[in-house]
Amino acid sequence: MVRVGAFSAIRSVLSGRASMAHPLLNIGLMLVCPECAAMPSLPPPNPGLYDEMFDGATPRAHYAAYAQWLDGLSDEALSARQREADLLFRRHGVTFTLRDNPALDRQIPFDIVPRILPAHEWVQLERGLRQRLAALNAFLHDIYHDRDILRAGVIPPEQVLTNPQYQVAMHGLDLPNRVYAHVAGVDLARHSDGAFYVLEDNLCVPSGVSYMLESRKMMRRLFPELFARLDIAPVEHYASLLLSTLREASPVAQPTVVVLTPGRHNAAYFEHAFLARQMGVELVEGQDLFVQNDRVWMRTTAGPQAVDVIYRRIDDAFLDPLAFNPDSLLGVPGLLSVYRKGQVALCNAPGAGVADDKSIYPYVPDMIRFYLGQEPLLNNVQTWQLRKPDDLAYVLTRLPELVVKEVHGSGGYGMLIGPLASRAEIAEFRQRILAAPANYIAQPTLALSTCPSVVEAGLAPRHVDLRPFVLSGGDIRIVAGGLSRVAMQAGSLVVNSAQGGGAKDTWIVEGA
Amino acid sequence: MKLHISHRSVYHYPERVRHSTQCLRLTPQSSRRQRVLSWQLGLPARASSGRDPYGNCQHVLTLDYPHQDITVLATGVVEVDEALADDVDDELAPLVFLRQTTRTAPSAARLALAQRHAEAVRQHGRHGALSLAQALAEQPGAAKDSVGASHALLGCLRALAQPARYVSGYLSLADGGEVAHHNWVELWRDGVWASVDPMSLAPAGGGHVKLAVGMDELDACPIRGLRRPSMEDMLRQAQHSAQQ
């Protein structure tokens, strides 16, 4: 077991170890760590990474109490706690199905070292998140009504109107509180400059909140002494905030809420069941619901029961085979016709995905200025849009140092990580780009911050990001923190749950 | 031209089903070029009516009892102004109709053909589209029905950045007096939807009654029901008659 004091030494060992065998194009890393992934010919553009716990060899102020406690813990005790955590998670059945092996439920790797943020830093992030979601919802209302932002020339109309995520069915509908993205999972990462950047706004069916809640439960069981000593902001009330938010999506006074899941074969089925149980509402599949006389009904043993709000965890295309994908067996035939009459609420609204599309992402700061008249509080990552000839020309000369993403991709699939890609992979990706430039955007490689994590050899820095969950109803509600996703392999930046990333508890600590 | 339409469709399941939900787009709406004087739908149960995303009149019919057939009878009188080949409505931003769907996305061969008519479509709109439709019809393996021909033309027009939409309706053959389901295309030019019938290679005339518009057949077809895997391709149209 390597002690905390030897931390910088571990880091330099890691820096020298650049031999990660990744089928990169398929695995799709979140971001690139130039230091960990240094290729001999490529000097790292960002010397040094930001570590969440350490500034050099010294713990940061908000980690001081934790680091002191950790110092007093023996190697054996730490390993034992980690083993205990693994066991508890397995017993609880917290799983997420991997895409390359859908038959296998995989336990989410859980790391017992918390990711701590000081309350004053969180307050800034939270203000930024509120501002961002207010603008994104205003944008969605606008593009399905008067399209002011398109008329004003802020965003080219065809970028929005021909986007596959733009749902014609939403045109002219008035939603309660003008909210489209009731539940958002905004991915943030800290760069080596110490600042947070928004990686993407997930506005369709963001998952992961169950890991946030289970992680916290686990940490409270494993480390009650830390929760007694530190002033850690609670997250346990998330489900009740979610239920309030869902209820506010309906004009009905006491609406009946259900969670609609694609079924047990879905990667996030655990979470669907978990949230339904936590909220005390029914978990249903498409076949449990039907449409009649302009209402949605749930089949129950006591006869049909009217449903007012559907927290749907299935994609737009599968919601209603009579309106979208006709082959869908997951949805409810006729659902959209009831929705369009305002007789049922869908959360999130169909068509919300146009606002989190990677081709629209570069315009979010402009949306904030346009709708709110404010300067954005959260940073966007600089983005080149390859549909623009100038951007395309620039990016083609810089492929080895950039990240290129497909505009409609998600889950970390279908991207090029320049610094980690072989010459052949870059050449192949260049052809794909040239065949359809408008399908791609490019961004500089960010150096994701690291956080100490338990590995076989002891503690070692691993890359982390942060996904806070933003609930929009009558008010915007956010529990402090969110899900810290961690790439469990040295140097890897795969933090997506779908790709095998792990989870850490996130602590927002007062008085640090 | 005044058209008296009586149209009976019987949809037949090979086995009894316990429950079904259908979307019907069988009610024409008045517009600049057509006036609906009377219209009635005869349905096996009460259906809820509303407007679909494209502004079409839509009925949602749920049958919650065992059944094997669904009979729909549509009757009414529509007056069509044969002098007008164009129509107007402001439901949606026309740019929406640049999107390809799985049914319209053109093959490489069609794309190449479309490119040869790019200038004609850009400059002359409908006339360009008509010559494009003719070229498509002359291709080997060209679509023989109005569904396929409309999809082919839509795919090419959209590839040329010309917004275009699918139209489903009735066609009355001037001499025989028979009325049949028919499909055609409208393209957005100079603030109006200009019609092109890829089968007759002419604009819509006095015999074209519009029922619904959409991105493709799926959005606009007269009856759309659910096919469960056990009934794959079993929901079919058994009888289809109409008269003027």
Side-chain angles (χ1 to χ4, degrees):
Chain A
M1 185 78 148
V2 186
R3 299 308 304 157
V4 174
F7 212 81
S8 42
I10 300 172
R11 184 153 38 172
S12 53
V13 169
L14 278 174
S15 314
R17 197 202 303 172
S19 58
M20 294 161 311
H22 281 137
L24 290 169
L25 292 178
N26 297 326
I27 284 193
L29 307 182
M30 277 293 297
L31 285 169
V32 162
C33 160
E35 186 167 324
C36 301
M39 301 197 319
S41 59
L42 192 82
N46 294 296
L49 294 168
Y50 186 99
D51 190 83
E52 297 289 331
M53 192 187 289
F54 289 98
D55 183 4
T58 320
R60 298 180 189 279
H62 56 278
Y63 259 110
Y66 180 82
Q68 193 188 4
W69 171 87
L70 193 61
D71 254 344
L73 202 67
S74 73
D75 296 355
E76 293 71 29
L78 191 63
S79 311
R81 298 280 180 102
Q82 181 64 55
R83 281 198 303 276
E84 197 182 336
D86 292 344
L87 193 68
L88 282 172
F89 259 82
R90 201 165 304 142
R91 198 177 295 156
H92 274 266
V94 183
T95 60
F96 196 94
T97 312
L98 279 177
R99 267 209 211 182
D100 54 6
N101 191 352
L104 191 73
D105 267 353
R106 193 185 58 96
Q107 187 189 339
I108 299 293
F110 175 70
D111 185 78
I112 59 170
V113 180
R115 195 268 188 81
I116 304 180
L117 290 173
H120 62 82
E121 186 169 29
W122 169 253
V123 167
Q124 296 302 316
L125 286 180
E126 186 180 325
R127 281 181 57 214
L129 291 166
R130 286 174 183 278
Q131 179 193 55
R132 199 162 170 105
L133 261 296
L136 288 166
N137 275 310
F139 168 72
L140 287 164
H141 177 83
D142 185 24
I143 60 169
Y144 291 119
H145 288 82
D146 296 335
R147 303 190 289 274
D148 289 336
I149 199 164
L150 308 184
R151 288 175 214 277
V154 178
I155 305 175
E158 65 275 14
Q159 286 267 97
V160 172
L161 299 175
T162 65
N163 190 307
Q165 303 282 332
Y166 182 88
Q167 292 292 2
V168 169
M170 296 305 295
H171 176 76
L173 295 193
D174 294 320
L175 303 188
N177 302 305
R178 296 188 171 183
V179 169
Y180 291 72
H182 305 84
V183 182
V186 180
D187 289 340
L188 301 167
R190 199 200 290 271
H191 187 43
S192 52
D193 61 3
F196 274 99
Y197 289 80
V198 176
L199 302 179
E200 58 186 25
D201 306 283
N202 295 286
L203 306 179
C204 295
V205 284
S207 59
V209 79
S210 58
Y211 311 137
M212 174 185 86
L213 296 168
E214 288 286 300
S215 299
R216 176 58 57 89
K217 193 157 76 185
M218 195 67 58
M219 291 298 273
R220 279 193 191 280
R221 285 178 73 162
L222 292 168
F223 307 109
E225 68 273 25
L226 284 171
F227 284 85
R229 191 190 303 183
L230 299 171
D231 188 358
I232 302 164
V235 297
E236 288 84 351
H237 54 307
Y238 177 82
S240 98
L241 296 186
L242 174 62
L243 186 56
S244 302
T245 301
L246 295 173
R247 284 182 170 150
E248 286 166 12
S250 170
V252 178
Q254 292 290 324
T256 298
V257 178
V258 298
V259 177
L260 175 61
T261 175
R264 62 187 68 253
H265 299 297
N266 184 263
Y269 180 75
F270 166 81
E271 176 159 305
H272 308 157
F274 176 91
L275 288 173
R277 194 169 62 238
Q278 290 256 313
M279 290 191 287
V281 305
E282 293 294 332
L283 176 70
V284 300
E285 298 183 20
Q287 62 200 19
D288 300 323
L289 302 177
F290 69 96
V291 162
Q292 193 161 30
N293 299 331
D294 288 333
R295 290 303 305 263
V296 176
W297 304 87
M298 166 169 54
R299 299 178 209 275
T300 75
T301 47
Q305 185 189 343
V307 171
D308 303 299
V309 180
I310 300 176
Y311 180 36
R312 51 91 172 208
R313 297 293 299 257
I314 68 182
D315 293 337
D316 285 4
F318 298 97
L319 273 177
D320 178 354
L322 300 190
F324 303 122
N325 183 346
D327 303 321
S328 170
L329 302 172
L330 306 174
V332 185
L335 175 61
L336 209 74
S337 69
V338 180
Y339 179 68
R340 284 177 49 80
K341 290 186 172 182
Q343 296 284 67
V344 71
L346 293 173
C347 302
N348 292 351
V354 67
D356 75 12
D357 193 83
K358 291 184 182 71
S359 68
I360 300 299
Y361 166 89
Y363 299 104
V364 176
D366 290 331
M367 285 177 204
I368 292 168
R369 295 184 190 102
F370 186 81
Y371 297 112
L372 308 178
Q374 299 167 3
E375 277 305 302
L377 300 171
L378 292 176
N379 303 306
N380 245 37
V381 180
Q382 183 187 5
T383 304
W384 292 277
Q385 305 176 52
L386 305 199
R387 63 178 186 84
K388 297 181 178 174
D390 288 355
D391 285 17
L392 176 64
Y394 175 83
V395 166
L396 287 177
T397 64
R398 295 267 200 274
L399 285 181
E401 57 198 77
L402 299 176
V403 181
V404 185
K405 300 177 180 174
E406 252 180 278
V407 288
H408 307 310
S410 76
Y413 293 85
M415 59 168 71
L416 174 78
I417 315 290
L420 299 188
S422 70
R423 212 171 274 227
E425 285 164 339
I426 290 177
E428 191 220 310
F429 212 87
R430 172 190 297 269
Q431 294 311 313
R432 285 168 60 180
I433 294 170
L434 285 171
N439 283 352
Y440 296 92
I441 54 143
Q443 293 174 336
T445 56
L446 288 195
L448 227 64
S449 66
T450 58
C451 186
S453 307
V454 178
V455 298
E456 269 183 43
L459 279 174
R462 288 292 181 268
H463 292 289
V464 290
D465 76 349
L466 177 64
R467 174 179 284 189
F469 294 89
V470 186
L471 300 172
S472 302
D475 295 311
I476 295 181
R477 306 175 172 98
I478 312 176
V479 296
L483 175 69
S484 283
R485 297 185 298 179
V486 52
M488 296 307 286
Q489 274 189 307
S492 164
L493 291 124
V494 183
V495 293
N496 298 28
S497 306
Q499 299 277 6
K504 270 178 181 295
D505 195 12
T506 310
W507 292 358
I508 307 302
V509 175
E510 283 289 346
Chain B
M1 186 154 132
K2 202 181 267 188
L3 301 172
H4 294 260
I5 292 168
S6 173
H7 183 261
R8 182 166 175 268
S9 312
V10 181
Y11 292 82
H12 180 73
Y13 291 95
E15 289 169 19
R16 279 158 78 85
V17 294
R18 290 168 53 191
H19 183 101
S20 77
T21 302
Q22 324 283 330
C23 270
L24 313 178
R25 289 181 198 84
L26 276 165
T27 305
Q29 299 188 89
S30 292
S31 68
R32 194 164 77 165
R33 71 177 301 271
Q34 73 184 27
R35 202 147 66 92
V36 182
L37 302 175
S38 69
W39 198 261
Q40 271 194 318
L41 275 190
L43 300 172
R46 199 177 83 85
S48 61
S49 69
R51 301 241 284 161
D52 79 359
Y54 298 93
N56 305 312
C57 182
Q58 171 185 268
H59 289 84
V60 177
L61 175 68
T62 294
L63 299 181
D64 202 15
Y65 52 82
H67 58 282
Q68 195 161 5
D69 298 302
I70 299 173
T71 304
V72 179
L73 182 66
T75 50
V77 184
V78 181
E79 193 172 22
V80 178
D81 184 344
E82 52 219 300
L84 282 176
D86 304 332
D87 223 337
V88 288
D89 70 56
D90 53 5
E91 277 299 322
L92 286 167
L95 277 179
V96 162
F97 293 97
L98 280 181
R99 261 192 257 186
Q100 300 286 7
T101 69
T102 51
R103 283 167 172 70
T104 66
S107 63
R110 277 192 192 146
L111 207 53
L113 188 144
Q115 289 305 335
R116 291 198 287 278
H117 292 79
E119 195 56 25
V121 170
R122 197 180 62 77
Q123 283 198 0
H124 307 298
R126 183 191 351 248
H127 292 295
L130 282 169
S131 60
L132 174 57
Q134 179 151 18
L136 283 167
E138 288 165 359
Q139 269 200 321
K144 296 276 181 285
D145 62 336
S146 68
V147 174
S150 296
H151 285 156
L153 181 57
L154 284 173
C156 290
L157 290 172
R158 290 174 187 167
L160 298 175
Q162 166 63 59
R165 64 187 188 181
Y166 186 97
V167 185
S168 145
Y170 294 116
L171 176 62
S172 151
L173 302 171
D175 48 353
E178 207 165 280
V179 174
H181 262 307
H182 192 66
N183 307 282
W184 61 97
V185 166
E186 287 180 335
L187 59 154
W188 179 255
R189 293 294 289 200
D190 307 320
V192 296
W193 286 104
S195 60
V196 172
D197 185 336
M199 297 307 281
S200 66
L201 296 173
H208 287 74
V209 174
K210 190 191 291 186
L211 280 172
V213 299
M215 299 299 296
D216 63 17
E217 182 204 7
L218 268 185
D219 294 326
C221 61
I223 299 192
R224 182 166 164 186
L226 179 63
R227 301 174 184 210
R228 292 214 171 266
S230 56
M231 310 190 301
E232 195 66 44
D233 283 329
M234 291 179 181
L235 178 68
R236 63 188 173 84
Q237 200 166 323
Q239 191 188 337
H240 190 98
S241 70
Q243 62 178 47
Q244 188 182 339

